Amino acid sequence: MDYRHAVAADAPAMAELLAAHHHAALTEQERAQQGFVQGSFDAGTLRAMAEDGSLLVADDDGHLAGLLGLVPPENTHGAPPPVKALLDAQDSLTWQGRPLRSTSFLLYGPVVVASAYRGKGVARGLFTAALRAAAPRAEVMVAFIELANTVSWHVHVDGFGMVPLGEFTLGDRAYGVVGASTRPAQRPGC
């Protein structure tokens, strides 16, 4: 498996992967078993994100096995409402005793793994690649997870050791905000 930065040519496959795992495309049972992604990302948006280095992919000999966004907060123009809500909550969210606003961070997500590659370490590989890519640019990677998405919460908090920073509510949906240090000495288990 090759974990690399996405390129513009990956955009159609990335759009297809995200659409297939979108909250609205899955049944309630599928969402409960595999988790889901939110937000709409068309090929043009994904192409632009690839061109500015904001996407990582898991490439299995030309087959897209997964993708992960890693976006600087200043590059969130036209962001969906949950991203805006997270950014608005920066003063109430804390990382290692400091308000998130005073910490250098990158937004982590969306992350999705193709069904055929689930359970094969692809999400872990993407997470590890994201840590390496983020380390020279930020102190922490920050994600928001809808609390109803228990699969994603389990993977990121219980599996990868991301630390809860707080919560916010948007409409009738509650979100947990989690972070992971990009500095090895500050990661759990290191």
Side-chain angles (χ1 to χ4, degrees), residues 41 45 48-49 52 54 69-88 90 101 105-110 137 142 144:
F41 297 89
T45 299
M49 290 175 74
D52 76 11
S54 295
L70 199 57
V71 181
E74 61 272 12
N75 287 6
T76 58
H77 317 294
V83 173
K84 290 178 185 174
L86 183 150
L87 295 175
D88 288 345
Q90 289 181 69
R101 185 177 305 282
F105 69 94
L106 294 173
L107 293 168
Y108 169 99
R137 301 167 50 203
V142 175
F144 63 89

Side-chain angles (χ1 to χ4, degrees), residues 89 92-94 143-145 147 153 163-168 175-179:
S92 64
L93 301 169
T94 60
F144 63 89
I145 301 170
L147 295 180
W153 187 269
V163 177
L165 308 180
E167 296 180 4
F168 66 89
Y175 297 85
V177 180
V178 296

